[in-house]
């Protein structure tokens, strides 16, 4: 199926499974549909099963979006508890289109739970409560972690998948792979039969250096290999070590959530000559998640300059990772150089990346699909240095093989049907779908205007207060000078930190004993789990329970200050 036809099918409002080999343009088509909806004032919910996958598409994890926490399977009682959360009612009320990327990594039980949650909140027994679902992914890639020994490994094995009436859009043109030989090998793996000719190609790449490419990333199946290689390679460089500590704001638990759900690291160690890859998309600066390069120098401000294999030099300035609460308000922010050492990474973390060259060791492959994922990261066989291969690495899951032909046939029938429709018939279907979900050109204009306004500088009031914080005055002093109440100045301080996360407020930092006591109090209160001790809106521990837990010996202002540094 072509990208254009897949996009048209989405515009008609059908539930869609968008699939195809790596590099077929799944993300491109998805972004086209998301932009189309935005033009009509509809915001699609963009989700993925893991934090890393979610960060690739600028979305949220499914667990965060639906408030399920770490649970995969939810009982009816669990779902009834979710209905007590006001923010979920607001979120579900506006939900018209749900996107789930990297669908192969989603556990069948969570998939079924999401269906039940939507049916409950939408008061609708249709699949997913009548919400249009766009499922994106490739089942030949890695399955959900921990699903190896379960009866159902993939979501297509569930009853709800069968009842959702999914239109399978199987994209069949590769835009990533420049090498027909590599594409042929991957297609053989998708068909479950790797020929002797392909094995000869593998033998020809055994420990052979990639051609016309300056640096190579090593892909391994186990974390221990990756960590060891990166440490050893960095130590070999005789250039000075540069350390980049992440700049963080917000509560410790939210900061840790960002670190655990993305590739950003708290302490990045670099040297001139270090092999690195970018861990974020920045199309303006012409790098994406997975762009490979070498640190060639540091500018006068210490910012690393990365030279890519094609000779481009990119200044790797700090990027921002944000954790937002249920109302979209930032709870924690991390600013860090968007790089990681790239001599080695795990195959699991490489999923979703495009690499110019890779040294791949599949001698310890233990999961069907690992070899397929690793080999599909590169654009050309010339970019492969194969260090080892076992039989498991060439295998793909048998249940995926069994259903793939059916999916291809369905996609072909669908393409023939839609290809036969004239433009007028298609436009009528598009209009009906937009009317159903409440989209209009005027709504799109209003949404864009609101988004533009939201990006404009906040009220100047907090900027006026900022001048006094720069002079290291106390909250009380600023309130008196500005003839405002102290709570207002506290709000200004939070606005300042939202606007400028690196703003220096260390002069407000209380004694370490106070910070430690406040942190212990929060831990105790959290374990006690009395819902009256938590803010219903943000989920944070309220000030009064902390004050009481500390036997009223720490002033409220000191507690507030301590919270700024946790």
């Amino acid at each position: 199926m072509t990208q254009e036809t897949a996009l048209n099918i989405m515009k008609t409002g059908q539930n869609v499974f968008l699939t195809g080999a790596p590099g077929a343009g799944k993300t491109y088509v998805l972004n086209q549909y998301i932009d189309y909806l935005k033009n009509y004032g509809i915001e699609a919910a963009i989700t993925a099963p893991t934090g890393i996958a979610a960060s690739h598409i600028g979305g949220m994890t499914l667990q965060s979006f639906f408030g399920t926490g770490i649970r995969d399977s939810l009982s009816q009682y669990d779902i009834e508890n979710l209905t007590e959360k006001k923010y979920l009612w607001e979120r579900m009320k506006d939900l018209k289109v749900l996107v789930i990327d990297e669908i192969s990594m989603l556990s069948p039980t969570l998939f079924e739970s999401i269906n039940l949650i939507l049916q409950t909140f939408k008061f609708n027994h249709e699949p997913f409560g009548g919400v249009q679902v766009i499922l994106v992914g490739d089942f030949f890639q890695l399955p959900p972690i921990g699903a190896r020994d379960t009866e159902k490994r993939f979501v297509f094995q569930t009853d709800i998948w069968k009842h959702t009436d999914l239109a399978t859009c199987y994209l069949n043109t590769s835009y990533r792979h420049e090498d027909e030989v590599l594409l042929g090998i991957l297609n053989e793996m998708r068909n479950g039969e790797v020929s002797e000719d392909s094995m000869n190609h593998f033998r020809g790449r055994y420990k052979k250096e990639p051609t016309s490419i300056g640096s190579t990333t090593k892909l391994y199946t186990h974390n221990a290999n990756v960590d060891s290689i990166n440490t050893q390679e960095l130590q070999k460089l005789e250039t000075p070590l540069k350390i980049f500590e992440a700049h963080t704001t917000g509560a410790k638990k939210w900061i840790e959530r960002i670190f655990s759900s993305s590739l950003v690291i708290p302490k990045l160690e670099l040297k001139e000559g270090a092999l690195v890859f970018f861990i974020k998309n920045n199309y303006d600066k012409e790098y994406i998640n997975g762009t490979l390069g070498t640190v060639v120098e540091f500018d006068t401000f210490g910012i690393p300059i990365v030279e890519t294999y094609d000779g481009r030099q990119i200044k790797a300035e700090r990027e921002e990772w944000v954790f937002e609460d249920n109302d979209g308000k930032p709870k924690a922010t991390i600013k860090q150089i968007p790089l990681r050492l790239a001599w080695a990474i795990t195959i699991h973390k490489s999923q979703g990346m495009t690499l110019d060259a890779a040294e791949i060791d599949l001698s310890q492959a233990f999961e069907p699909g690992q070899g397929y994922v690793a080999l599909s990261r590169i654009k050309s066989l010339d970019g492969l240095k194969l260090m080892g291969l076992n039989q498991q690495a060439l295998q793909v899951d048998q249940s995926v093989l069994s259903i793939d032909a059916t999916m291809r046939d369905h996609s072909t029938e669908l393409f023939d049907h839609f290809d036969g429709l004239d433009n007028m018939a298609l436009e009528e279907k598009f209009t009906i779908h937009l009317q159903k979900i409440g989209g209009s050109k005027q709504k799109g204009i209003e949404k864009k205007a609101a988004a533009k306004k939201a990006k404009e500088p906040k009220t100047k009031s907090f900027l006026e207060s900022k001048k006094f914080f720069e002079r290291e005055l106390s909250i009380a002093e600023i309130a008196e000078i500005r003839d405002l109440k102290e709570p207002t100045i506290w709000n200004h301080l939070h606005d300042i930190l939202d606007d400028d996360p690196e703003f220096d407020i260390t002069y407000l930092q209380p004694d370490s004993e106070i910070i430690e006591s406040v942190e212990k109090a929060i831990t105790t209160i959290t374990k006690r789990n009395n819902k009256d001790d938590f803010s219903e809106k943000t989920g944070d521990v309220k000030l009064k329970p902390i004050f009481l837990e500390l036997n009223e010996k720490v002033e409220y202002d000191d507690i507030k200050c301590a919270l700024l540094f946790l």
Side-chain angles (χ1 to χ4, degrees):
M1 181 178 292
T2 64
Q3 294 179 348
E4 181 183 7
T5 301
L7 179 60
N8 285 339
I9 292 171
M10 291 182 190
K11 288 181 181 180
T12 66
Q14 284 194 237
N15 296 323
V16 167
F17 169 45
L18 180 64
T19 190
K26 297 185 290 294
T27 301
Y28 173 78
V29 175
L30 174 62
N31 286 334
Q32 290 283 100
Y33 185 52
I34 291 170
D35 289 342
Y36 166 80
L37 292 173
K38 284 181 179 178
N39 287 335
Y40 290 91
I42 302 298
E43 292 288 335
I46 306 170
T47 67
T50 68
I52 292 173
S55 71
H56 288 175
I57 57 169
M60 297 175 66
T61 63
L62 282 159
Q63 294 87 341
S64 294
F65 186 83
F66 287 99
T68 62
I70 62 173
R71 292 167 298 181
D72 262 6
S73 179
L74 277 73
S75 66
Q76 191 59 45
Y77 175 77
D78 293 328
I79 294 174
E80 287 173 4
N81 283 340
L82 291 179
T83 63
E84 296 178 4
K85 298 183 178 182
K86 293 181 181 178
Y87 78 88
L88 281 180
W89 281 108
E90 287 299 313
R91 182 173 289 170
M92 299 305 146
K93 180 184 70 175
D94 297 329
L95 180 60
K96 307 294 183 183
V97 180
L98 172 65
V99 174
I100 305 178
D101 197 22
E102 296 290 4
I103 191 66
S104 73
M105 302 176 77
L106 178 60
S107 75
T109 49
L110 183 55
F111 186 63
E112 293 169 325
S113 295
I114 290 166
N115 171 60
L116 294 175
I117 290 169
L118 285 172
Q119 288 178 332
T120 300
F121 276 89
K122 291 293 188 179
F123 301 103
N124 187 330
H125 290 294
E126 292 181 34
F128 297 96
V131 171
Q132 183 190 22
V133 291
I134 308 294
L135 311 178
V136 185
D138 178 11
F139 287 113
F140 283 97
Q141 303 212 31
L142 294 175
I145 294 174
R148 192 182 310 175
D149 300 322
T150 58
E151 182 181 347
K152 295 179 182 177
R153 301 193 72 196
F154 298 97
V155 296
F156 65 75
Q157 295 170 317
T158 63
D159 289 337
I160 185 59
W161 176 278
K162 299 164 188 171
H163 297 153
T164 303
D165 191 26
L166 287 161
T168 300
C169 298
Y170 207 125
L171 303 181
N172 48 23
T173 301
S174 177
Y175 296 91
R176 175 188 296 168
H177 298 102
E178 304 164 349
D179 186 344
E180 290 297 324
V181 174
L182 175 59
L183 191 58
I185 292 172
L186 292 173
N187 283 331
E188 285 184 357
M189 294 176 73
R190 293 177 77 92
N191 291 325
E193 297 178 0
V194 178
S195 67
E196 185 61 25
D197 189 43
S198 294
M199 292 303 298
N200 285 331
H201 284 299
F202 286 138
R203 295 180 188 110
R205 298 310 307 175
Y206 182 67
K207 294 189 177 180
K208 186 174 181 179
E209 296 295 336
T211 57
S212 305
I213 295 173
S215 50
T216 306
T217 293
K218 296 177 174 66
L219 297 186
Y220 281 78
T221 52
H222 292 76
N223 278 308
N225 301 109
V226 167
D227 295 339
S228 175
I229 290 170
N230 282 328
T231 300
Q232 290 172 13
E233 293 296 329
L234 188 66
Q235 289 173 348
K236 288 179 185 178
L237 297 176
E238 297 179 357
T239 48
L241 179 68
K242 299 278 187 180
I243 298 175
F244 299 89
E245 299 277 1
H247 297 167
T248 64
T249 58
K252 184 178 179 180
K253 62 178 179 179
W254 303 129
I255 292 170
E256 289 176 348
R257 182 77 66 87
I258 298 175
F259 283 128
S260 66
S261 64
S262 68
L263 289 171
V264 64
I265 52 178
K267 183 179 178 181
L268 175 66
E269 296 184 348
L270 294 176
K271 291 181 180 181
E272 189 175 309
L275 184 64
V276 295
F277 68 89
F278 285 86
I279 57 174
K280 208 167 174 56
N281 293 329
N282 189 322
Y283 300 107
D284 292 334
K285 294 186 177 180
E286 297 185 335
Y287 64 76
I288 60 172
N289 179 53
T291 296
L292 192 68
T294 302
V295 177
V296 291
E297 62 176 314
F298 298 90
D299 70 8
T300 53
F301 298 100
I303 302 299
I305 308 297
V306 177
E307 184 171 300
T308 61
Y309 83 99
D310 57 0
R312 291 181 297 119
Q313 289 198 351
I314 302 171
K315 185 181 290 188
E317 297 177 294
R318 289 182 185 269
E319 292 274 4
E320 188 173 82
W321 285 259
V322 180
F323 180 82
E324 297 179 342
D325 65 15
N326 300 318
D327 297 318
K329 183 177 179 181
K331 297 294 294 176
T333 301
I334 292 174
K335 282 194 172 183
Q336 178 60 295
I337 302 297
L339 299 174
R340 283 191 75 141
L341 296 177
W343 284 287
I345 55 177
T346 62
I347 291 172
H348 186 268
K349 286 183 178 176
S350 76
Q351 187 158 321
M353 292 181 177
T354 301
L355 298 173
D356 301 310
E359 176 182 305
I360 301 175
D361 189 342
L362 293 166
S363 61
Q364 299 181 65
F366 58 89
E367 178 78 77
Q370 280 184 318
Y372 183 84
V373 169
L375 293 168
S376 60
R377 297 309 95 209
I378 55 177
K379 299 177 182 178
S380 166
L381 206 60
D382 289 340
L384 170 65
K385 180 180 180 180
L386 186 63
M387 301 302 293
L389 184 69
N390 67 16
Q391 192 60 37
Q392 181 81 356
L394 299 177
Q395 295 178 0
V396 292
D397 193 282
Q398 289 300 312
S399 60
V400 176
L401 277 176
S402 300
I403 199 171
D404 188 61
T406 303
M407 289 179 171
R408 287 176 184 268
D409 290 343
H410 181 198
S411 178
T412 300
E413 291 174 9
L414 203 60
F415 174 74
D416 291 341
H417 171 71
F418 270 82
D419 199 43
L421 296 177
D422 59 37
N423 289 336
M424 188 174 297
L426 277 175
E427 289 295 336
E428 183 179 355
K429 288 178 179 291
F430 299 163
T431 300
I432 292 171
H433 175 48
L434 287 172
Q435 289 174 344
K436 179 181 176 181
I437 61 178
S440 68
K441 277 286 187 183
Q442 182 59 36
K443 190 174 180 180
I445 293 170
E446 291 172 357
K447 285 261 190 180
K448 286 181 180 178
K452 183 179 179 181
K453 186 176 181 181
K455 291 181 179 179
E456 292 175 353
K458 297 179 182 179
T459 174
K460 293 182 179 179
S461 184
F462 84 89
L463 295 176
E464 289 296 321
S465 293
K466 186 176 182 179
K467 298 174 184 177
F468 298 105
F469 281 109
E470 288 171 342
R471 289 164 51 186
E472 300 191 357
L473 299 182
S474 68
I475 299 289
E477 289 171 330
I478 299 173
E480 184 176 354
I481 293 170
R482 297 213 56 203
D483 194 25
L484 295 170
K485 295 180 179 179
E486 288 188 24
T488 301
I489 302 302
W490 275 107
N491 288 335
H492 285 179
L493 179 56
H494 287 286
D495 286 341
I496 291 167
L497 293 175
D498 285 345
D499 184 67
D500 182 7
E502 296 182 43
F503 184 67
D504 187 6
I505 56 167
T506 51
Y507 79 94
L508 291 173
Q509 185 169 338
D511 293 339
S512 58
E513 292 84 358
I514 293 177
I515 295 177
E516 289 173 6
S517 64
V518 169
E519 186 171 21
K520 288 179 181 177
I522 291 174
T523 300
T524 301
I525 295 166
T526 302
K527 288 181 179 178
R528 193 161 58 221
N529 199 26
N530 182 344
K531 70 175 184 177
D532 293 334
D533 291 338
F534 299 87
S535 166
E536 184 176 328
K537 184 175 181 180
T538 66
D540 294 333
V541 177
K542 296 177 182 177
L543 289 175
K544 187 173 181 180
I546 299 174
F547 180 66
L548 295 175
E549 184 65 30
L550 296 173
N551 299 316
E552 303 182 15
K553 292 180 179 179
V554 180
E555 297 293 332
Y556 273 94
D557 279 358
D558 286 335
I559 294 173
K560 289 180 182 179
C561 285
L563 291 172
L564 294 172
F565 296 92
L566 287 179

